[in-house]
């Protein structure tokens, strides 16, 4: 379904518009009583082998920043 329906729809719009739409949608979902739990259950992965310690801070997984994501 993603490759045949959702992805083509997303490519009709500018990347900036889609970025803001997805960010706003996730903010809305997280405000729902079950939203945060649903997102964590489906997308969070925990494994001790992925833990990182940087400058005295412990992170549960490796850190990365997508290009352009830091511009604002």
């Amino acid at each position: 379904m993603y490759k045949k329906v959702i992805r083509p729809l997303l490519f009709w719009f500018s990347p900036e518009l889609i970025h803001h739409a997805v960010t706003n949608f996730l903010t809305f979902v997280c405000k729902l009583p079950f939203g945060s739990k649903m997102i964590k259950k489906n997308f969070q992965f925990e494994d001790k082998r992925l833990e990182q310690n940087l400058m005295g801070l412990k992170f549960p997984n490796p850190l990365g920043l997508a290009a352009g994501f830091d511009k604002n």
Side-chain angles (χ1 to χ4, degrees):
M1 181 171 162
Y2 171 76
K3 286 187 178 182
K4 292 189 179 198
V5 177
I6 297 171
R7 189 170 186 234
L9 285 174
L10 294 177
F11 277 86
W12 279 355
F13 302 99
S14 74
E16 293 283 326
L17 179 68
I18 295 300
H19 170 78
H20 290 294
V22 170
T23 303
N24 290 337
F25 175 73
L26 290 174
T27 301
F28 170 74
V29 169
C30 286
K31 289 180 181 179
L32 297 173
F34 60 86
S36 290
K37 288 183 182 181
M38 181 182 69
I39 289 174
K40 285 181 183 179
K41 181 182 176 189
N42 289 305
F43 298 105
Q44 186 174 354
F45 180 78
E46 293 183 18
D47 190 334
K48 291 283 187 190
R49 296 176 293 177
L50 296 175
E51 287 183 1
Q52 303 287 311
N53 288 303
L54 303 169
M55 296 182 278
L57 297 173
K58 181 180 173 186
F59 297 95
N61 50 26
L63 294 176
L65 188 61
F69 193 72
D70 61 338
K71 68 181 179 182
N72 289 334

